[in-house]
Amino acid sequence: MKWARNRRGWPDRAGRFGGYGGRYVPETLMAPLEELARAYDHARRDRAFKRRLDDLLASYAGRPTPLWPAERLSHEVGGARIVLKREDLLHTGAHKLNNALGQALLTRAMKKDRVVAETGAGQHGVATATAAALLGLEATVYMGTEDMRRQHVNVERMRLLGAEVVGVESGSRTLKDAINEALRDWVTNVRTTHYLLGSVLGPDPFPRMVRDFQRVIGEEARVQLRRRYGRRSPDLAVACVGGGSNAIGLFSAFLGDPHVRLIGVEAGGRGHRPGEHAARFGGGGAAVGVLHGTRTRVLQDAEGQIAATHSVSAGLDYPAVGPEHAALAELGRIEYTSATDREAVAAFHLLAETEGILPALESAHAVAEAVRRARRLSRRALVLVNLSGRGDKDLESVLAYDRARAEAAP
Amino acid sequence: MSGRGALAAAFAAARREDRAAFVPFLMAGDPTLERTGELVGALAGAGADVIELGVPFSDPIADGPVNQAAAERALAAGTRLAGILELVSRIRRRVEAPIVLFSYFNPILRYGPARFAEHASASGVDGLLCVDLPPEEAAAEVLPALRAQRLDPVFLLAPTSTRERVRAVARAGSGFVYYVSRTGVTGERAALPAGLASEVRALRRALDLPVAVGFGLSTPEQVAAVARVADGAVVGSALVRFAAEHAGEPDLLPLFARRAARLAAATRRG
Ligand SMILES: Cc1ncc(COP(=O)(O)O)c(C=O)c1O
């Protein structure tokens, strides 16, 4: 297969996934990125590093996370079996901790004592604050003030964990603006500080490093599927795509298996018009561009100015996508689709009522798509969904959304 | 040398007069392109050797608050890259100082690097500096496009740059090299970093290109200190802020010209 051949060895030495990726950063960050890449390449071959990380993931974070057959949900939908990979049960409540622990250990290995991070939904910020507390690192987390409002529980959690949370007032006051500010901090303090980036975004080596730290999701799921169902793989694997880390983490294990259809779900928001969604593949206004250090698909206007985005879920509300996703989309190996705000909130309720699980609004986008697909498949088919996080942080957003809809209804 | 040589000539002329080149920066379109044209005229009259014009971008990760706000004003006024190029061709009738566009890469990528180079060259632009486009990433598409139109590719070097990176910039760049005085974003600072003089001296020994120093310079004293060791001194945020603070005043242009002239005078070494 074309993608199988192309994908071998991705990214190349320049950090490129086909025509995407690279290192588009100010000169001040170039040598530090080279140093980070060297440190990471050393760590990933270092047995002691791997042992330490595996131990943290198991004894501290609670891996492996279970694979849960959502039978009541599947029955309700009336089609394929839907199986959930329960990253929501990981310590701190989302897959983000897999990566935060990995990079925090690496920060120590590089003899730096401070990390900065961006956060949208607050889950990566909480994971970073947690890993920093555990390893004795100083942490500063940048967060758009719009996101601080809608995810304020996570703001309080970060502060209780000892992190400094800095509100970002510029632009749309969401994830994009938080990354701008984290990069400005990093470029200023790069000698003492590591940028603990939370998704498969940014300049090389971040997209491959974050992917590798999230691979554990798919590797576990593969083993669990075999043990529980005697199957090598699912028919369909579905994950939401903000930057794309939980999706790549799950999909990596199945990329080489052409029988598995891989489906990434973006935020369809309120509609197709620019500014109303965060669908970098399906929505209006996307083109190849460079944002936050990487060449990828970016929502932008005809002048190359970055577009505003909208999603009910803060973690998907971002105008660019990880470069490996852009490359895999081009090869047709991953299909991308979107779920609207309304569909995501409906899926949130459905999962709560059928399975007793409140999913993160990000993950609810994946559930919405899984339900849509499962309906059209036979009972023997198996749909694997990455339930990337839990929904406690989103209660207010969901209630507010439902209230607004009830008021708008005649 | 790949450009038309106007940048190299401007630095050489300053050197002959025993001074550093004065390199002011303005954000194009802040608050309107018309005003930018007037301010550039004032800078030229005040003794600017090279003029840097910022292309506003929505997400300027290398800029501090002053230039961020300037970019926001410029974008709010509807500033477009094509409009900036038109402004340059109008300025060219009155202003001889070479003009370098200072941009983030995405607006250039969207415009199309080859098309940009063609139009920029026709407008009388002399060089392009993309803050987030290191020589490695410029090599495939941008460098050939600029060279084909005899535009100078200007690159940054920073205190963190390794010897290999200095060599890469020496190979790819022309016109001059922009040395970032400190790790950080653009904006005024109270003091110059301690090691600056020795860093710049080492860089000048390693490079055949003139070295201009920027990021954090705002006062004539700082310009004078930089002029003693470097080939050029860049002043950005301080001028951007001055123009914004005095925007509503009838005598903005003479005030601005006087401020610029004081900075220009500080480049004399004698
Ligand atoms: C629970 C959850 N899922 C998904 C995401 C989206 O990120 P990614 O696409 O990198 O997995 C986030 C980001 O905040 C999140 O909190």
Side-chain angles (χ1 to χ4, degrees), chain A residues 199-316:
Chain A
S199 192
V200 285
L201 297 166
D204 180 73
F206 285 106
R208 65 183 168 99
M209 178 169 70
V210 178
R211 171 196 69 193
D212 294 351
F213 286 138
Q214 294 293 1
R215 268 197 153 118
V216 62
I217 303 173
E219 281 162 9
E220 275 177 19
R222 208 178 166 86
V223 172
Q224 290 165 322
L225 278 174
R226 194 171 55 237
R227 291 220 182 106
R228 180 151 197 150
Y229 299 96
R231 296 179 56 133
R232 279 183 44 231
S233 53
D235 297 285
L236 229 69
V238 187
C240 66
V241 182
S245 69
N246 87 87
I248 282 282
L250 180 71
F251 295 166
S252 296
F254 305 108
L255 274 170
D257 186 342
H259 302 295
V260 186
R261 287 179 72 176
L262 305 173
I263 294 153
V265 189
E266 306 185 279
R270 292 183 289 239
H272 276 281
R273 268 178 298 131
E276 296 290 304
H277 63 84
R280 290 72 37 111
F281 294 105
V288 173
V290 166
L291 180 66
H292 294 150
T294 192
R295 186 176 179 123
T296 183
R297 285 187 69 82
V298 182
L299 292 165
Q300 54 184 304
D301 69 12
E303 289 291 306
Q305 306 296 339
I306 307 307
T309 52
H310 163 79
S311 170
V312 69
S313 94
L316 305 184

Side-chain angles (χ1 to χ4, degrees), chain A residues 93-96 120-124 198-200 240-247 315-316 360 362-363 388-390 393:
Chain A
H95 69 290
K96 298 286 182 186
Q123 287 302 134
H124 175 59
S199 192
V200 285
C240 66
V241 182
S245 69
N246 87 87
L316 305 184
E362 291 78 18
S363 324
S388 56
R390 70 178 187 221
K393 66 185 179 66

